[in-house]
Amino acid sequence: MYPRVAEVPFDSDYKFMATFHNMTNAQGKPVVRCFVKGAPDVVMKRCSSVWVPGGEVMQVAADSAPLVNAENDRMAAAGERVLVVARRDFDPATFDPKAKLIDLITDLTGLAMVGIVDPARRRPKWRSKNAIAPASRCA
């Protein structure tokens, strides 16, 4: 529906990932929209504004970091993996998908802070009983 034209894959060094899609904005104008998700402290440092309920966009206050960090800590203490999702639009006429895209991940609009509960992983039954035996046969 919204073709991906480029991406910045996740890397633990910069703690976010980004995808770029051909879309149209609210006025019907074509844009390349970048969506970013990653660690709250990292992504919020790259945001200059936040989207608030009702569709209004507000500038990020200089002293908002403690509020973001407190909410992140609250959600993490509840066992959630916390991510911030943000976006930025680019002019398709000047967007270069082969450029150093990580340098474009600035001046974002924060959309949401989300907490994800990862499902518990079940260990295979064979793993605990039989994993050592096959390894010892290889010697």
Side-chain angles (χ1 to χ4, degrees):
M1 183 178 237
Y2 302 110
R4 182 182 297 188
V5 296
E7 70 178 38
V8 175
F10 178 83
D11 188 297
S12 59
D13 287 341
Y14 46 80
K15 298 182 184 176
F16 67 82
M17 70 163 294
T19 59
F20 297 79
H21 304 266
N22 285 327
M23 301 182 76
T24 55
N25 64 15
Q27 293 75 35
K29 179 182 172 187
V31 296
V32 174
R33 181 161 293 158
C34 171
F35 289 102
V36 179
K37 68 176 180 178
D41 59 326
V42 173
V43 176
M44 286 306 297
K45 284 180 185 172
R46 293 174 177 265
C47 289
S48 60
S49 60
V50 292
W51 185 76
V52 295
E56 186 180 349
V57 175
M58 297 177 59
Q59 295 303 304
V60 173
D63 60 350
S64 64
L67 178 63
V68 170
N69 292 337
E71 187 61 15
N72 179 26
D73 292 347
R74 184 191 68 76
M75 295 169 80
E80 297 174 348
R81 185 165 42 105
V82 185
L83 298 172
V84 165
V85 180
R87 78 177 204 193
R88 178 178 172 192
D89 288 349
F90 297 91
D91 182 348
T94 58
F95 178 77
D96 179 4
K98 294 183 175 103
K100 189 174 178 187
L101 298 174
I102 197 163
D103 292 343
L104 301 178
I105 312 298
T106 62
D107 197 29
L108 301 172
T109 298
L111 301 175
M113 177 181 281
V114 296
I116 300 169
V117 178
D118 290 322
R121 294 184 183 182
R122 293 185 351 165
R123 277 182 30 180
K125 290 181 184 180
W126 60 266
R127 186 174 182 189
S128 58
K129 289 192 267 182
N130 301 326
I132 296 172
S136 63
R137 286 186 222 137
C138 294

